Amino acid sequence: MVKICCIGAGYVGGPTMAVIAFKCPSIEVAVVDISVSRITAWNSDQLPIYEPGLDEVVKQCRGKNLFFSTEVERHVSEADIIFVSVNTPTKSRGLGAGKAADLTYWESAARMIADVSKSNKIVVEKSTVPVKTAEAIEKILTHNSQGIKYQILSNPEFLAEGTAIQDLFKPDRVLIGGRETPAGQKAIQALKDVYAHWVPEDRIITTNLWSAELSKLAANAFLAQRISSVNAMSALCEATGADVAQVSHAVGKDTRIGPKFLNASVGFGGSCFQKDILNLVYICECNGLTEVANYWKQVIKVNDYQKSRFVNRIVSSMFNTVSGKKIAVLGFAFKKDTGDTRETPAIDVCKGLLGDKARLSIYDPQVTEDQIQRDLSMSKFDWDHPIHLQPMSPSAVKEVTVVWDAYQATKNAHGVCILTEWDEFKTLDYQKIFNNMQKPAFIFDGRNVLDVAKLRKIGFIVYSIGKPLDPWFNDMQAMP
């Protein structure tokens, strides 16, 4: 029986291994992590991450051929194939701070694999890593090999949160990069055989190591670039009276462009986009490609601009101050159908409003008060370190209350911000919300999910990103 071990029981490792176990009953899969609380959650009825469909997959396999364990070394030593899915946060200090990936956790995983291995291993990079990480890992393993042979493969994940299980069941492509040597090709085939249990052969792409590593960064950079492009257009639409939804629709009908990732919003978030682009920027700079680095930097600049533009629009329209005013924030996760708040635009918007002394009342159906308070009191990039290395108990932000009902959040509020596109926000009783708000009552739709005409009929002053402006905003110019 082939044995697979995955180091890291997070957003990537957990779901990926659950699907491999589900699709390959003849393979034994162990997911290991040093976090006792995380492994306990994976073994309980309340999984540590929310992802539609994940529950059913885990419960069908757990205890049969899928195991979650803190016995890291035992499972690593027994495995034939080891997936490494540990954090690769952005460095917050030292060389490359703010851009380069911190490979501390990767290096310690590699050293541990070398220490405990008694048989040949295939080591698979699963977390997003900078190009040439495989080379570093190879060096650590070969210099500590004690006669054991290792093959390093790059098998980047292309999951979208909220649809991860679907993405794993029916992937666009599975990418496997390895050495162009007989042993490297044999290792590629071994991993290919695992995926071939359910993925059609023409969807399994094999490349050299560096192409596979770079493809992951490139894919995320291209997707983020599309979002920044449409968000840049949204600012121009507001200035000219165009409607960004109509522009996006027209552009997306061009088959060379296509309709995906063309929704204007308050900005992109999630654990990968910003991190991967910063990584790309750093690699370009290290290779003397300054112009290329500057090009990709601009994608992040436009994303930051979109968030600050949104905050400026709120403050300027409410008589240039939100000091002491209650602002309801509906949605905190970076997108719907996930409880993930990593790099969510809501953090920067909330911090911007708090900087102007607003009082915030936040509601999100999947994000806990503890998580929201932690996010609002943490420094940038701290979120990506394991929980035991994050600030212990973040001081609660006093001007923030977290409630479990949209109506409670909006009661007596001066303004409402929609920051996540949860379906339930489209069907709220906005007449009831209007009746219970301070007047004039403002709605700032950061996701373009609401019916603007209907809201204006009720009496709201509405700002929707990239849509023709309410006459009110022409009198209250947003600061640049």
Side-chain angles (χ1 to χ4, degrees):
M1 181 186 248
V2 173
K3 289 191 174 185
I4 289 177
C5 173
C6 176
I7 303 172
Y11 271 93
V12 175
T16 305
M17 294 304 119
V19 169
I20 288 178
F22 180 77
K23 293 288 191 181
C24 310
S26 60
I27 293 177
E28 185 183 296
V29 181
V31 184
V32 297
D33 202 294
I34 54 172
S35 166
V36 176
S37 60
R38 183 176 278 185
I39 291 297
T40 304
W42 277 110
N43 283 317
S44 74
D45 285 337
Q46 192 63 52
L47 301 184
I49 61 174
Y50 171 72
E51 191 62 55
L54 176 62
D55 238 36
E56 295 87 323
V57 173
V58 169
K59 282 169 187 170
Q60 281 202 51
C61 306
R62 196 169 56 193
K64 293 175 189 156
N65 68 327
L66 174 64
F67 304 93
F68 296 93
S69 169
T70 51
E71 291 182 78
V72 180
E73 297 187 357
R74 176 170 78 84
H75 287 288
V76 166
S77 128
E78 290 174 1
D80 305 297
I81 302 174
I82 301 164
F83 285 82
V84 184
S85 192
V86 296
N87 294 44
T88 50
T90 303
K91 285 180 80 170
S92 48
R93 53 181 66 86
L95 186 67
K99 286 187 289 233
D102 181 346
L103 296 179
T104 307
Y105 310 117
W106 248 100
E107 186 176 331
S108 58
R111 289 182 184 281
M112 183 269 296
I113 291 168
D115 284 347
V116 305
S117 292
K118 295 177 181 63
S119 57
N120 296 346
K121 309 282 184 208
I122 296 171
V123 179
V124 184
E125 294 177 338
K126 198 67 192 162
S127 26
T128 304
V129 289
V131 183
K132 297 289 186 179
T133 299
E135 200 163 50
I137 304 310
E138 229 170 26
K139 283 177 179 158
I140 291 167
L141 291 171
T142 50
H143 281 87
N144 295 279
S145 73
Q146 299 156 356
I148 287 162
K149 292 192 166 56
Y150 297 97
Q151 279 300 323
I152 316 295
L153 300 178
S154 172
N155 174 218
E157 55 83 20
F158 297 104
L159 305 178
E161 285 182 42
T163 59
I165 298 300
Q166 222 174 302
D167 297 343
L168 286 161
F169 276 4
K170 289 190 170 172
D172 289 340
R173 77 292 202 197
V174 169
L175 181 58
I176 304 171
R179 286 286 190 193
E180 292 161 310
T181 59
Q185 294 304 301
K186 197 175 162 198
I188 288 175
Q189 190 58 49
L191 186 54
K192 211 175 162 180
D193 290 344
V194 172
Y195 284 111
H197 280 79
W198 78 98
V199 181
E201 181 145 6
D202 61 345
R203 295 207 172 179
I204 303 175
I205 303 169
T206 59
T207 66
N208 73 29
L209 263 174
W210 324 130
S211 298
E213 287 182 333
L214 188 54
S215 295
K216 167 67 176 171
L217 299 186
N220 279 344
F222 276 48
L223 291 172
Q225 178 199 45
R226 280 176 77 98
I227 297 172
S228 281
S229 295
V230 78
N231 282 343
M233 285 298 163
S234 74
L236 186 57
C237 287
E238 288 167 31
T240 57
D243 181 330
V244 75
Q246 294 173 358
V247 172
S248 292
H249 181 68
V251 168
K253 282 291 180 192
D254 186 325
T255 52
R256 295 167 302 174
I257 298 170
K260 291 185 176 174
F261 277 73
L262 285 181
N263 292 327
S265 71
V266 67
F268 59 72
S271 62
C272 287
F273 282 0
Q274 175 156 305
K275 186 170 82 170
D276 286 359
I277 295 171
L278 289 170
N279 224 309
L280 201 54
V281 166
Y282 184 66
I283 295 164
C284 291
E285 288 175 347
C286 289
N287 284 286
L289 303 170
T290 311
E291 287 79 6
V292 182
N294 290 341
Y295 176 78
W296 290 111
K297 266 185 201 166
Q298 199 58 38
V299 172
I300 289 174
K301 274 189 183 163
V302 169
N303 196 48
D304 290 339
Y305 167 69
Q306 188 76 341
K307 292 180 280 190
S308 61
R309 203 169 73 77
F310 189 76
V311 172
N312 289 344
R313 183 67 80 182
I314 295 168
V315 176
S316 64
S317 60
M318 297 174 82
F319 314 105
N320 260 337
T321 178
V322 288
S323 179
K325 292 175 182 172
K326 178 179 175 180
I327 308 288
V329 173
L330 300 186
F332 198 84
F334 85 92
K335 65 188 261 194
K336 72 173 185 176
D337 293 336
T338 178
D340 194 353
T341 61
R342 293 176 291 178
E343 291 291 351
T344 174
I347 294 174
D348 287 337
V349 170
C350 289
K351 283 183 173 178
L353 293 170
L354 290 167
D356 209 275
K357 299 193 171 63
R359 291 182 304 115
L360 303 183
S361 184
I362 303 174
Y363 164 66
D364 186 290
Q366 283 295 334
V367 185
T368 63
E369 174 166 11
D370 180 54
Q371 186 62 52
I372 289 170
Q373 289 287 3
R374 179 186 286 277
D375 286 333
L376 291 178
S377 49
M378 241 192 278
S379 301
K380 206 164 176 55
F381 304 128
D382 276 354
W383 58 266
D384 205 13
H385 290 272
I387 215 135
H388 62 283
L389 295 177
Q390 290 173 7
M392 266 314 281
S393 51
S395 52
V397 183
K398 290 192 294 295
E399 296 76 21
V400 172
T401 52
V402 178
V403 296
W404 282 100
D405 170 50
Y407 298 106
Q408 197 184 335
T410 53
K411 194 174 183 193
N412 290 323
H414 292 76
V416 176
C417 298
I418 310 275
L419 297 184
T420 312
E421 70 282 21
W422 288 103
D423 290 338
E424 68 180 80
F425 298 155
K426 299 174 192 173
T427 55
L428 293 172
D429 181 345
Y430 282 96
Q431 183 65 59
K432 176 180 170 182
I433 288 172
F434 180 79
N435 295 344
N436 289 323
M437 280 176 68
Q438 303 281 344
K439 308 297 182 296
F442 295 89
I443 285 191
F444 303 93
D445 184 357
R447 294 287 177 175
N448 283 350
V449 290
L450 303 182
D451 183 332
V452 175
K454 209 187 252 179
L455 293 174
R456 285 186 180 139
K457 206 174 272 179
I458 290 171
F460 284 106
I461 293 162
V462 186
Y463 167 69
S464 199
I465 281 185
K467 302 284 182 134
L469 292 175
D470 197 300
W472 179 279
F473 297 104
N474 293 328
D475 303 332
M476 303 269 181
Q477 278 304 312
M479 296 164 285

